[in-house]
Amino acid sequence: MSLLRPPLTALVDLVYPPHCAGCGVRQPVGQWLCATCESRVRRLHGPKCPICSRPFGGALEAFLCPNCRNEALHLDFALSVMRSDGLVRELIHRFKYGREFHLRRVLGDWLAEAFSDQRLAATADVCLAPVPLHPARLRERRFNQSEALACWIGRRLGLRVERPLRRRRHTVTQTHFDRRQRMRNLRGAFALRHNADVNDKSFLLVDDVLTTGSTLDECARVLLEGGACSVRAITVARG
Ligand SMILES: [Zn+2]
Ligand SMILES: [Zn+2]
């Protein structure tokens, strides 16, 4: 994919020459990772569930995973690019909790690879929508990682970014819950913003990691209830 670099970023790179986000070695302008670090990350190649991107070790072709077979989602599907382990997990952690805003570039470029999937080929009328962060969490982290990623790929790929959702309460991830319990736990966590116009729009939710998919699905539920015509999701990694 050929991507235009925003001029301001190019200028900043001249003043502060880029270093590898993984090991800190000096890098040519426009490259966020050195070849060694790039070779350490794992993409989600191979068969995976077409709905939730869960990889199938050893399977010859993709089929619906047991979760998606048993429970209908509000999301059409969620597409993840990387496996959430090793350097990928480390970079996401530093981005979210270490306030390393510059990592939106390497993570955002990985996220943009999601668009090589045929199902995202016609995206001209799609709106990117970040998963909102609770205001208290936002003060703590300084920025919303989902929004930073959405803005990065929005600029690079010329896609609209909208913020139709707000977070009413913060929920702790409870991975040991089953799906039904998680959905109950998330009920009321998100709402449409006061002036949000979602009617007849197609949304592509953006997030850093998909673990259980419940948060993204709850966002999709709220958007569909508000009149959106379809909701899909992309994430950098799959936990
Ligand atoms: Zn490196
Ligand atoms: Zn699945």
Side-chain angles (χ1 to χ4, degrees):
M1 199 181 311
S2 119
L3 301 168
L4 287 173
R5 295 170 45 67
L8 185 64
T9 313
L11 192 67
V12 170
D13 285 347
L14 284 177
V15 184
Y16 305 99
H19 291 79
C20 170
C23 66
V25 80
R26 184 79 176 265
Q27 280 298 101
V29 169
Q31 281 179 33
W32 322 126
L33 276 189
C34 72
T36 311
C37 288
E38 185 67 49
S39 71
R40 284 167 55 204
V41 301
R42 296 203 297 157
R43 282 171 174 73
L44 269 173
H45 286 318
K48 52 188 176 188
C49 172
I51 307 285
C52 72
S53 290
R54 185 172 160 185
F56 298 119
L60 288 175
E61 51 186 289
F63 52 90
L64 289 189
C65 76
N67 270 346
C68 296
R69 224 177 298 147
N70 297 331
E71 297 272 358
L73 293 181
H74 301 92
L75 279 173
D76 288 350
F77 59 83
L79 202 63
S80 305
V81 178
M82 314 295 282
R83 283 178 193 269
S84 176
D85 58 16
L87 184 61
V88 174
R89 192 202 292 254
E90 181 199 313
L91 293 183
I92 290 175
H93 199 271
R94 280 167 46 195
F95 180 50
K96 257 164 107 158
Y97 306 111
R99 297 174 179 168
E100 292 193 49
F101 187 60
H102 65 99
L103 292 175
R104 75 197 183 288
R105 305 184 297 192
V106 58
L107 298 172
D109 281 2
W110 283 337
L111 185 59
E113 292 179 23
F115 289 87
S116 61
D117 188 290
Q118 281 305 309
R119 294 174 295 170
L120 292 180
T123 49
D125 62 340
V126 88
C127 299
L128 300 175
V131 173
L133 212 54
H134 188 272
R137 202 50 43 137
L138 186 62
R139 276 196 297 276
E140 199 176 290
R141 292 201 194 154
R142 304 266 175 86
F143 61 88
N144 173 353
Q145 76 279 1
S146 303
E147 191 167 327
L149 291 169
C151 291
W152 179 256
I153 58 169
R155 258 200 317 274
R156 290 214 135 194
L157 305 175
L159 296 171
R160 215 152 18 113
V161 179
E162 294 196 5
R163 294 160 188 80
L165 297 167
R166 64 190 174 88
R167 191 147 196 158
R168 292 204 293 207
R169 59 186 175 84
H170 178 69
T171 48
V172 191
T173 318
Q174 278 156 324
T175 36
H176 59 279
F177 278 13
D178 68 22
R179 209 185 103 80
R180 205 177 297 273
Q181 289 170 317
R182 283 196 299 269
M183 292 313 280
R184 202 179 307 136
N185 182 41
L186 279 166
R187 274 277 163 157
F190 299 97
L192 287 182
R193 264 182 207 277
H194 180 50
N195 285 325
D197 172 21
V198 302
N199 211 31
D200 274 336
K201 288 184 180 169
S202 289
F203 286 97
L204 191 57
L205 291 165
V206 175
D207 209 358
D208 51 347
V209 189
L210 181 150
T211 312
T212 65
S214 302
T215 303
L216 288 167
D217 202 48
E218 178 60 12
C219 290
R221 191 186 66 76
V222 173
L223 289 169
L224 291 172
E225 209 173 79
C229 59
S230 79
V231 186
R232 296 168 287 178
I234 51 173
T235 72
V236 176
R238 177 77 164 87

